[in-house]
Amino acid sequence: MSGTLKHILVSERQRGNPLLEHIRNVPWRYATTPQTPDYILGDRNCALFISVRYHLLKPQYLGRRLAELKAEGSRWSLRVLLCLVDADDATRALHELNVLAVRQDCVLFLAHGAREAARYLECFKAYEKNSAACIRERARRPERASETRRRSSVAAPAVRSEASGPAGRPVARGRRLGRAHDRETREQDRRRDALVALRDVRRRPQGVARGPPRVPGAGRPQARGPRRPRGVLR
C-alpha cells in the first residue's frame, strides 16, 4: 500500500474508461493485485464507479459490489460512489442509487461528463491529507487597540477637511470648487456663442451685403443754393 500515497490505484475493471484520459493533475496507475474498489484514492479512501446506463442494464450489479466493499469492514473510512449521468431520463435510476449509497454507508457524487468525474477523483487524491479546516470559514482576527488608534488618527484629518465651517458655511475648499465650476460654465457659454455665430456666417449667401446699399455721396455736405455760372462775379 505504499504506492497509494503517490498514485491513484485503478482496478483492471476500469481499463478503457474515458475518464482516465482526463486525470492529469495527479499520478495514477493500474493495480498489480486484485482489489475490491475501482479506485483506491489513499490509505483509507476508495471509490466505485457506475454509469446510469449500466445500472439500467444490470440493476443487481451495484448492490453486489457495494456489499463486497462493506464486507471489508473498517479498512475504508471514506467510500465514494461516483455516478456518471449519461441518460436523459435518470430520475428513477438516481433514486435507486441514492438508496443503495445510504444503505451501504457511501457518499454519492454525480458527474455529467468524463472530465467532471476525473476532477472528483483528482480532488479526493489531492486533498487526501487535508483536514476539514481548509474549507471552513475563517473568522476575522480582532484588531488590536494600537491598530484602532492608528486608523482613527489617519482618518481624522480627512473628516475635518470635508466638514462645514461655522454657521453652515462651506470651507475654503468648497468655495474654490464652486468658483472653478462657475468659470468652467462661463467658458462653455462663450464657446457655444462663438459656434452659433460661426454657423450663421457660414449659412449667409455669398455676394449679399451685410447692411443696406450705400448711397453715393452720402455723408458729404451738399452745396447750398443754385450753382453760379462760370465767369460771373458777385
Side-chain angles (χ1 to χ4, degrees), residues 80-146:
V80 177
L81 177 58
L82 184 58
C83 176
L84 176 63
V85 183
D86 55 353
D88 296 334
D89 188 8
T91 304
R92 183 176 179 181
L94 293 178
H95 175 73
E96 296 175 356
L97 294 175
N98 193 19
V99 172
L100 289 173
V102 172
R103 289 179 179 177
Q104 301 298 334
D105 297 332
C106 292
V107 182
L108 177 62
F109 282 84
L110 302 180
H112 295 271
R115 179 176 299 179
E116 184 180 356
R119 293 297 176 269
Y120 278 126
L121 296 179
E122 290 177 349
C123 289
F124 282 122
K125 182 59 181 177
Y127 293 97
E128 174 190 2
K129 301 298 182 181
N130 291 34
S131 62
C134 62
I135 60 176
R136 292 177 183 172
E137 183 180 1
R138 297 182 180 180
R140 295 186 60 182
R141 181 175 58 87
E143 297 183 357
R144 299 179 181 178
S146 59

Side-chain angles (χ1 to χ4, degrees), residues 31-229:
T32 56
T33 58
Q35 61 183 32
T36 303
D38 294 330
Y39 301 92
I40 295 181
L41 307 173
D43 291 337
R44 304 193 61 187
N45 304 333
C46 66
L48 287 180
F49 179 83
I50 189 71
S51 65
V52 173
R53 289 184 180 180
Y54 194 85
H55 177 71
L56 294 176
L57 292 176
K58 298 182 178 181
Q60 306 300 328
Y61 169 78
L62 184 60
R64 177 175 55 83
R65 293 290 310 279
L66 290 176
E68 294 175 357
L69 190 63
K70 190 176 181 180
E72 296 186 356
S74 60
R75 178 181 176 182
W76 309 110
S77 61
L78 176 62
R79 291 186 287 268
V80 177
L81 177 58
L82 184 58
C83 176
L84 176 63
V85 183
D86 55 353
D88 296 334
D89 188 8
T91 304
R92 183 176 179 181
L94 293 178
H95 175 73
E96 296 175 356
L97 294 175
N98 193 19
V99 172
L100 289 173
V102 172
R103 289 179 179 177
Q104 301 298 334
D105 297 332
C106 292
V107 182
L108 177 62
F109 282 84
L110 302 180
H112 295 271
R115 179 176 299 179
E116 184 180 356
R119 293 297 176 269
Y120 278 126
L121 296 179
E122 290 177 349
C123 289
F124 282 122
K125 182 59 181 177
Y127 293 97
E128 174 190 2
K129 301 298 182 181
N130 291 34
S131 62
C134 62
I135 60 176
R136 292 177 183 172
E137 183 180 1
R138 297 182 180 180
R140 295 186 60 182
R141 181 175 58 87
E143 297 183 357
R144 299 179 181 178
S146 59
E147 295 181 357
T148 305
R149 289 194 300 268
R150 178 175 56 83
R151 291 187 179 182
S152 60
S153 63
V154 172
V159 174
R160 288 196 298 269
S161 63
E162 296 296 335
S164 299
R169 291 179 297 177
V171 295
R173 181 180 179 183
R175 291 195 296 269
R176 289 195 299 271
L177 292 177
R179 288 195 295 269
H181 179 71
D182 295 340
R183 287 195 299 270
E184 184 178 357
T185 303
R186 290 194 297 269
E187 183 65 23
Q188 292 178 356
D189 294 341
R190 285 196 295 269
R191 292 179 181 177
R192 184 170 58 253
D193 295 341
L195 290 176
V196 172
L198 180 61
R199 183 182 57 189
D200 295 341
V201 171
R202 291 180 178 178
R203 289 182 177 180
R204 184 179 297 114
Q206 296 182 0
V208 179
R210 295 187 178 182
R214 186 176 180 180
V215 179
R220 292 182 295 179
Q222 299 293 333
R224 297 180 180 179
R227 298 183 63 181
R228 212 175 34 247

